[in-house]
Amino acid sequence: MERKPLSSPLSGFLIYAIRHRGDDYDDRRRRRQSASMSDSEIMTILLLFHFGSFRNFKHYYFTYIKGVLRSYFPTAVSYNRFVELEGRVFFQLMFFLNLRAFGRCMGISFVDSTMIPICHNLRRYANKVFDGIATDGKGTMGWCHGFKLHLACNDRGEIIAFVLTGANVSDKNPEVFKVLAKRLYGKLFADKGYISQKLFDFLFEDGIHLVTGLKTNMKNKLIPFYDRMMLRKRHIIETINDLLKNTAQIVHSRHRSVGNFIMNLISALGAYCFFENKPKALQGYCIEQTRQLELF
């Protein structure tokens, strides 16, 4: 069967995964046999799903992986077995995202959070998968039962860091910024929900200048023209949230385990790093090369 050329941005990573597929498997029958698929193959399959072509992972696996890409994955296991195996590449995928996929801070960063519901509000008491884990929280779109994703990105639309918390955790929680601030410096632009003198002092001690808008009941303060213009560029982080939800499908109510929910989340974040339509604050603005993975 002749292999069809791939046009996905992950085609280079896919070829790398096939070439480095483990060859240390034999045909001996064992009670606890090792998986016939390598970790790189499992990671590639998880990332490819979040490019917006399929809405159902099971249909994607049977139609695309075991159909169109059958020659690239000759040792593909059954769907049920793959669901069991995907959890074993959690640490490998996290290392890949932090070392090769995520961008780095360039002195201009944006922060925001978005709700990740795990079911409809009317079914939150009947949900057994996330019982005792998911919480109720209120965002700009109303009440939500699930989690909250805190994101920090640079001016090139590259994700720098993320934190997953319960839906009832405040955006101004210092524990969240203890994780985000490790990779940030310079100026951090946020919306009015991050207005907090305590948070401002906490970040200022780490060399981060928090810049937010002013509420109507606050005293008018002079804001530098550059900061005022960059506050208008906050659409970058909003666009990232939109791409994660509508294209990468980071939100759906079909999770059957907490582990699958986590793998779906981090694989969606990894797939976004390969999107070609990332928003940028300044068009034509050139900076030094980042650590974003390049596939040539």
Side-chain angles (χ1 to χ4, degrees), residues 108 110 154-157 226 229-230 232-236 278-285:
I108 301 175
F110 302 89
N154 57 19
D155 56 346
R156 302 185 68 178
Y226 178 81
M229 294 302 298
M230 293 307 298
R232 297 181 179 181
K233 298 295 183 178
R234 284 197 60 261
H235 64 83
I236 293 179
K278 295 186 184 68
K280 296 182 180 181
L282 301 175
Q283 298 294 333
Y285 176 63

Side-chain angles (χ1 to χ4, degrees), residues 10-257:
L10 277 173
S11 57
F13 184 71
L14 173 61
I15 296 175
Y16 175 86
I18 301 303
R19 292 178 178 176
H20 291 73
R21 183 173 58 241
D23 298 328
D24 56 343
Y25 306 109
D26 52 24
D27 296 332
R28 292 177 298 175
R29 293 186 177 182
R30 300 177 182 177
R31 187 171 182 177
R32 295 182 178 179
Q33 295 182 358
S34 58
S36 59
M37 300 186 67
S38 64
D39 294 345
S40 57
E41 288 179 308
I42 298 176
M43 292 168 56
T44 304
I45 292 174
L46 291 174
L47 294 177
L48 281 174
F49 169 67
H50 294 280
F51 278 83
S53 301
F54 293 87
R55 304 295 297 179
N56 183 278
F57 187 83
K58 186 174 184 179
H59 177 68
Y60 153 80
Y61 190 80
F62 282 115
T63 305
Y64 196 61
I65 300 300
K66 297 181 74 70
V68 178
L69 301 182
R70 184 176 181 179
S71 58
Y72 290 93
F73 300 97
T75 59
V77 297
S78 63
Y79 169 75
N80 293 334
R81 179 57 177 164
F82 182 85
V83 173
E84 296 175 355
L85 294 176
E86 65 179 10
R88 77 174 189 176
V89 300
F90 171 77
F91 293 103
Q92 294 89 325
L93 188 56
M94 286 296 299
F95 285 138
F96 172 74
L97 295 183
N98 287 277
L99 297 178
R100 304 298 298 175
F102 284 169
R104 60 174 177 174
C105 181
M106 291 297 181
I108 301 175
S109 307
F110 302 89
V111 65
D112 197 9
S113 64
T114 181
M115 291 291 187
I116 304 181
I118 50 91
C119 66
H120 196 275
N121 289 333
L122 297 178
R123 297 193 297 269
R124 63 182 182 273
Y125 297 111
N127 187 282
K128 303 300 181 182
V129 178
F130 297 91
D131 186 20
I133 302 177
T135 57
D136 296 332
K138 188 176 183 180
T140 56
M141 303 301 294
W143 286 95
C144 165
H145 180 73
F147 303 91
K148 181 182 290 188
L149 180 64
H150 306 263
L151 287 176
C153 71
N154 57 19
D155 56 346
R156 302 185 68 178
E158 299 171 345
I159 297 176
I160 301 176
F162 75 96
V163 177
L164 182 66
T165 63
N168 58 348
V169 176
S170 173
D171 295 342
K172 300 175 288 187
N173 193 322
E175 298 297 329
V176 174
F177 283 90
K178 285 182 179 180
V179 180
L180 297 179
K182 292 180 179 180
R183 298 187 176 184
L184 302 178
Y185 69 91
K187 292 190 176 183
L188 179 63
F189 297 91
D191 57 16
K192 300 177 183 179
Y194 289 85
I195 297 177
S196 172
Q197 186 63 38
K198 182 179 179 180
L199 178 60
F200 179 87
D201 296 337
F202 173 80
L203 294 176
F204 195 78
E205 293 178 357
D206 293 337
I208 303 174
H209 180 201
L210 179 63
V211 181
T212 62
L214 298 177
K215 294 183 179 179
T216 56
N217 58 350
M218 297 177 61
K219 294 182 179 180
N220 189 18
K221 296 183 179 180
L222 295 178
I223 300 179
F225 178 77
Y226 178 81
D227 293 349
R228 187 179 297 274
M229 294 302 298
M230 293 307 298
L231 279 175
R232 297 181 179 181
K233 298 295 183 178
R234 284 197 60 261
H235 64 83
I236 293 179
I237 193 75
E238 302 290 348
T239 305
I240 293 177
N241 292 333
D242 179 74
L243 290 174
L244 290 175
K245 288 187 175 182
N246 297 327
T247 303
Q249 306 172 45
I250 202 173
V251 177
H252 65 80
S253 59
R254 299 183 298 274
H255 298 293
R256 295 298 178 264
S257 67

